[in-house]
C-alpha cells in the first residue's frame, strides 16, 4: 500500500529521487522497475511498479474490447505514452519531456503521491486544484439528504 505526499524536484536531466521509504520496497517488489504513463482522468502521471502494471494489463486484457469499446480506449491511452523506468543506484528516475508536458509539469518542483498500488505525479497548481475539487465532491456526497450506501459503513 503506497501512501503519502512528497515534494520532489527534477534535476537538469529531468530526474528525481524516489523517497527513501519507497526505494527498498520497490527494489524488493519489482527490482526498481516501474512504468510511467498518463492518467486517464487528471492532468497528472501514473507511476506503477512493474508487477502492478502487468496485473493492470492482464485485467484489461480479460475484458472484451468488442463488448466494452471503452476498454480499447483505456488501453490506447495507457499504452501509447507508457515508458519503462528503472531506479538507478541513487534511487533516481527520469521523466520524459513529453510526459511532463502532457501533465503540465513545467516547474522543477512536483509532488509524488502514494496512491494505493501506484504513484501519481502532479504539478503543484494542478494538485491544489484537484484537492479542492475532491473536498467539494466528498463534502457534497456526505451532506446528501438521502442515505448514501457507499459511505454507510465508513468510519472516518
Amino acid at each position: 500500500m503506497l501512501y503519502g505526499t512528497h515534494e520532489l524536484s527534477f534535476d537538469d536531466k529531468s530526474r528525481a529521487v524516489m523517497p527513501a521509504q519507497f526505494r527498498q520496497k520497490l527494489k524488493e517488489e519489482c527490482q526498481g522497475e516501474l512504468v510511467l504513463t498518463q492518467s486517464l482522468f487528471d492532468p497528472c502521471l501514473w507511476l506503477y511498479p512493474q508487477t502492478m502494471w502487468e496485473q493492470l494489463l492482464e485485467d484489461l486484457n480479460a475484458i472484451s474490447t468488442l463488448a466494452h469499446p471503452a476498454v480499447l480506449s483505456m488501453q490506447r491511452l495507457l499504452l501509447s505514452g507508457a515508458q519503462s523506468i528503472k531506479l538507478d543506484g541513487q534511487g533516481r528516475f527520469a521523466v520524459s519531456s513529453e510526459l511532463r508536458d502532457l501533465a503540465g509539469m513545467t516547474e522543477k518542483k512536483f509532488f509524488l503521491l502514494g496512491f494505493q498500488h501506484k504513484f501519481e505525479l502532479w504539478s503543484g497548481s494542478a494538485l491544489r486544484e484537484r484537492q479542492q475539487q475532491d473536498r467539494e465532491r466528498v463534502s457534497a456526497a456526505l451532506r446528501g439528504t438521502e442515505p448514501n450506501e457507499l459511505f454507510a459503513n465508513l468510519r472516518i
Side-chain angles (χ1 to χ4, degrees):
M1 180 68 75
L2 303 171
Y3 57 88
T5 300
H6 306 270
E7 185 174 352
L8 304 181
S9 295
F10 289 115
D11 65 14
D12 293 338
K13 296 181 180 178
S14 291
R15 296 175 303 189
V17 178
M18 180 63 68
Q21 73 187 72
F22 299 123
R23 279 186 236 154
Q24 186 61 35
K25 184 175 186 172
L26 291 171
K27 186 176 180 182
E28 291 169 4
E29 182 180 324
C30 60
Q31 294 75 46
E33 295 180 7
L34 307 151
V35 176
L36 184 65
T37 192
Q38 63 184 313
S39 165
L40 294 175
F41 312 108
D42 293 302
C44 71
L45 301 175
W46 287 345
L47 182 61
Y48 287 88
Q50 181 69 37
T51 51
M52 296 308 300
W53 176 255
E54 290 170 2
Q55 182 63 55
L56 172 64
L57 294 182
E58 195 174 300
D59 292 347
L60 282 172
N61 286 332
I63 304 170
S64 168
T65 56
L66 293 175
H68 302 282
V71 174
L72 185 61
S73 296
M74 290 175 72
Q75 289 173 328
R76 188 175 296 114
L77 289 168
L78 288 171
L79 295 170
S80 65
Q83 299 177 354
S84 293
I85 304 282
K86 176 118 172 119
L87 296 180
D88 69 11
Q90 288 77 44
R92 295 177 299 196
F93 63 97
V95 178
S96 71
S97 59
E98 295 84 12
L99 285 176
R100 284 179 68 179
D101 290 344
L102 189 63
M105 298 171 66
T106 58
E107 306 290 323
K108 280 192 167 238
K109 294 205 179 285
F110 69 98
F111 290 89
L112 176 96
L113 278 66
F115 199 73
Q116 297 182 25
H117 60 276
K118 68 179 177 288
F119 296 100
E120 293 184 337
L121 282 64
W122 289 85
S123 72
S125 59
L127 178 58
R128 284 187 295 279
E129 185 177 324
R130 169 51 68 209
Q131 288 173 328
Q132 181 60 35
Q133 292 170 349
D134 288 345
R135 284 184 192 92
E136 292 169 4
R137 185 178 293 148
V138 169
S139 179
L142 293 174
R143 282 194 320 257
T145 56
E146 296 181 27
N148 189 325
E149 291 179 28
L150 183 64
F151 299 114
N153 296 317
L154 185 63
R155 295 182 188 142
I156 298 178

